[in-house]
Amino acid sequence: MHASNSDCSFTAAARTAPSSFAKARYERARYSVSLVALSALLVAFSAEAVQWSVSDPGQGPYMLPANDSGANQLSAIVWVSGNQYYALSDTTRRVYPLAIELNPNGTIQSATLAPGILLSGADDPEGLVYHSATGGFLASDEVGPAIREHASDGGLVQTLTLPPVFQNIRLNLALEGLTRDPASQALWTANEEALINDGAPASFTAGSTVRLQRFDASYAPNGQWAYVTDPLPGDVSNPGRDVESSGVSDLIAIAGGDLLVLERASGITALRSRLYQVGFAGASDTSSLANLDGADFHPVSKTLLWSRNSLYNFEGASLGPTLEGGGRSLLLIADDGSGLPQGLQALVLRQAVCGNGVVEAPETCDDFNTSGGDGCSAQCRTESCGDGVLNNSGNESCDDANQIAGDGCDVDCQLELPARRCQEAIFKAARGYGFDRLKALRNCRDQLNRGRPLFLDAAKTQPLTDPADCAGEYETASRITRAGLKLRNAVGERGRCTDAYVGLFDACAENVDGLIAANGGSGCLQTSHDAAVDRIIDDQYGRALQPTESLLRRCQQAIAKAAGKYAETRWQALHTCQVQLLKGRTLFADELRQQPLV
C-alpha cells in the first residue's frame, strides 16, 4: 500500500511495492477478509472529484498574543461568520472568541482574542465545530476518547456514542480533529495515529493507519475509511514512542463532500505541517473491521496541497469567508505548548484549474493550456524524460516511458541511430511521394487546360469533366499508385522501419502499416501528403476554365507554372532545414545567430 495511491490494497500481489513503507505494511497483512467481502466494502463515489489547491499569500506565520484573554495552547479554530472565529484551548478547556480582520488577498490584518467560555465536562479537547443552529459547540476529546455537544455557555448537552473500536487508543494519540460538512451536516473525526489493534505508530519508513469516522446529521456513525499518514521526518528524536510527535491533527470538510487533512510531525529542528486532499473513490468502508493490521482494504487516496517546516505547531484549521480576490480563506492555528510560538497561518483554498496560467498545488506547471507534449502535461504536471510523453519543447526526440538504452530511445530520450535512420527514411520517402503525386496532378491539369480530352478509365468511355477528379484519371491514378508502392518499399525495405521504431517518435501512426499500407493505397502518411498536395494544386490552378476563355487560360497556365516553381523551391528549402535539424545541426532564427531554432 502506498499512501497516495487509491488503487492499491493489502494484497499478496502488492508485496513488490517499491517503498519501504509499503513493504513494512504488507508484511503485517494476514489477508483475513475474503475478496467477496472486500468487494462489498468498496465505496462508490459517483460524483467526479473536484481538485483543490492551497496557496500561500506570502505573509508567513502571524503572532497571536493572548493579551488579557488568558488563551494558551490553542489546538483548534472554527469560523462563525464575518470576522468572528472561535479558538479552543486543550489545557484551559475554554473556547475563546477570536476576531480576525483579513485583507482582500487572505492575509491577516489583525487578530484579537477575548476571554473564553469553559466547556463543562471537557478534559483534553482538541477539535472544535461551531453549531450555527444553537450557537453552541461540538468538541472532540482525547481523553475517553469522546465527542461532546456543548451549549453556547459551555454547558454539557450530550456525549456522542463512538464506535467501540475507538476504545483501543494510544495515549495522547486519539481524536485530534473534528469538522462538519455544512451541506450534509455530516460530522467527521479521526484518531491522530493508529489504534493499538490497527498497527504501529508512524516510524522513519512507514506511516500510521488511522480511521476517518463519519457521523450523520443525527450523530449516528455512518461510514469509516482508512487514511495512512506520512512517515516521520528523518531527524525526529525518538521514533519508538507513544507521545504526540506526528499524525492527523485536524480535518476540514470542503464542498462536494471531500476532506482536507492537516498532518503534523515533529523533528529536532522543525515541525512539519502538511495539508492533503482526501479522495474516497474506490476506498473501503472499514466500519466492520475490528483490526486494520492484517485486513484487506483500500485506503483513501491523498494529494499534497501544501507543506511547510517551521517552529509553529499547527494543530487546528478552518475555512473562512470568500475573499475578494477569489477563493476561500483558510487559517491554521498553532499551539504554544513546550515554549513554541502561538500564531496563525493564512492560506487560500481555490478550485484548481489546469490551464489558467497559475501553478496551483498539486500542479507543478501551468502553461495556459491543457495539451501535453509541450513540457507541461494535460494535467499540469511537469513532463520529463521517461514519463512516456514526447515533450517537444524539452528537446526530446522520443520517450518510451523508460530511461534504458538499446531499445531505440536512449537514456536522454534521444532517438538512437537505427530509429533515426527509420525516421529519416520516412521523411525522405514521404517527400518523394508528395512530389510524384504533385507532378502527376499537374500533368493532368495542364493537359486539361490545353484542351486535351482525358478519361477515368483505360477504355476511354468515361470522360473527365471536373478537374477536381484528376486523381481518378486512369494514367494519373496509375502514377499515384506506383508512388504509393514506392513509399511503402522505401519505408519498409530491409526492415529499416519496424513497428517498435515508428512508435518511438511523433509519427501520425504507431506502426508501419498505419503509416502506409502494404499495397501503398492507404495510410496516414499518404493521406496527409495527399491533402497537402491537393491544396497546392487548388492554389495553383483555381477554377476550371472553358475552351473559349483562351486568354484567361494562358494567364492561368503562367500562374500555375510560376506557383509550381515557387512551391517546389519552398518545399525544398523547408526540407533541407528539417533534415539539418534532425542531424543535430544548430540553426538560428536571426542573422546574429542569437535565437536558436528548436
Side-chain angles (χ1 to χ4, degrees), residues 214-510:
R214 185 177 66 187
F215 302 83
D216 63 21
S218 64
Y219 305 141
N222 79 331
Q224 185 188 97
W225 293 268
Y227 174 94
V228 182
T229 69
D230 292 343
L232 297 174
D235 64 351
V236 70
S237 57
N238 181 18
R241 81 286 177 264
D242 272 353
V243 296
E244 192 175 24
S245 291
S246 75
V248 173
S249 56
D250 208 357
L251 310 170
I252 302 177
I254 53 178
D258 284 346
L259 291 178
L260 296 184
V261 171
L262 174 62
E263 283 194 43
R264 175 268 321 277
S266 61
I268 295 174
T269 58
L271 291 114
R272 184 186 67 197
S273 300
R274 289 177 173 175
L275 280 167
Y276 284 97
Q277 179 178 346
V278 170
F280 290 91
S284 309
D285 188 326
T286 57
S287 300
S288 63
L289 299 181
N291 305 293
L292 297 184
D293 189 19
D296 287 328
F297 62 87
H298 289 254
V300 297
S301 64
K302 51 190 290 192
T303 302
L304 181 63
L305 303 186
W306 177 82
S307 181
R308 182 187 181 97
N309 292 336
S310 71
L311 294 178
Y312 284 79
N313 181 22
F314 293 115
E315 288 197 0
S318 175
L319 288 179
T322 299
L323 300 171
E324 292 180 19
R328 289 280 301 277
S329 167
L330 195 166
L331 294 179
L332 308 183
I333 195 163
D335 188 324
D336 63 351
S338 304
L340 296 173
Q342 181 166 277
L344 300 166
Q345 172 70 54
L347 301 171
V348 179
L349 178 73
R350 293 185 177 89
Q351 185 173 339
V353 180
C354 180
N356 65 358
V358 179
V359 178
E360 303 161 316
E363 296 176 356
T364 57
C365 61
D366 196 314
D367 56 354
F368 291 97
N369 67 64
T370 55
S371 60
D374 55 3
C376 188
S377 74
Q379 294 74 40
C380 287
R381 303 297 175 90
T382 303
E383 295 170 341
S384 59
C385 178
D387 61 6
V389 178
L390 183 60
N391 178 5
N392 293 314
S393 68
N395 294 324
E396 292 181 357
S397 59
C398 58
D399 197 318
D400 56 353
N402 67 59
Q403 290 180 284
I404 302 173
D407 57 0
C409 186
D410 67 19
V411 295
D412 298 317
C413 288
Q414 301 299 314
L415 288 174
E416 294 171 333
L417 183 59
R420 288 205 312 273
R421 287 174 175 168
C422 169
Q423 186 185 52
E424 291 170 3
I426 292 172
F427 190 90
K428 182 178 179 180
R431 174 178 171 271
Y433 169 80
F435 273 125
D436 288 344
R437 178 182 172 86
L438 184 63
K439 183 177 179 181
L441 292 178
R442 281 176 176 165
N443 181 65
C444 174
R445 293 293 292 261
D446 288 343
Q447 290 186 76
L448 284 176
N449 281 343
R450 294 189 184 101
R452 179 181 174 183
L454 299 179
F455 301 88
L456 294 173
D457 61 327
K460 298 185 179 181
T461 61
Q462 302 177 37
L464 178 65
T465 58
D466 187 348
D469 293 334
C470 260
E473 193 270 328
Y474 77 98
E475 290 184 349
T476 304
S478 178
R479 293 188 182 101
I480 293 173
T481 297
R482 290 196 297 271
L485 289 171
K486 181 181 177 182
L487 171 59
R488 170 68 189 207
N489 292 335
V491 171
E493 67 180 1
R494 297 188 299 276
R496 173 182 291 167
C497 279
T498 65
D499 290 349
Y501 288 156
V502 172
L504 288 174
F505 43 81
D506 194 17
C508 60
E510 295 183 356

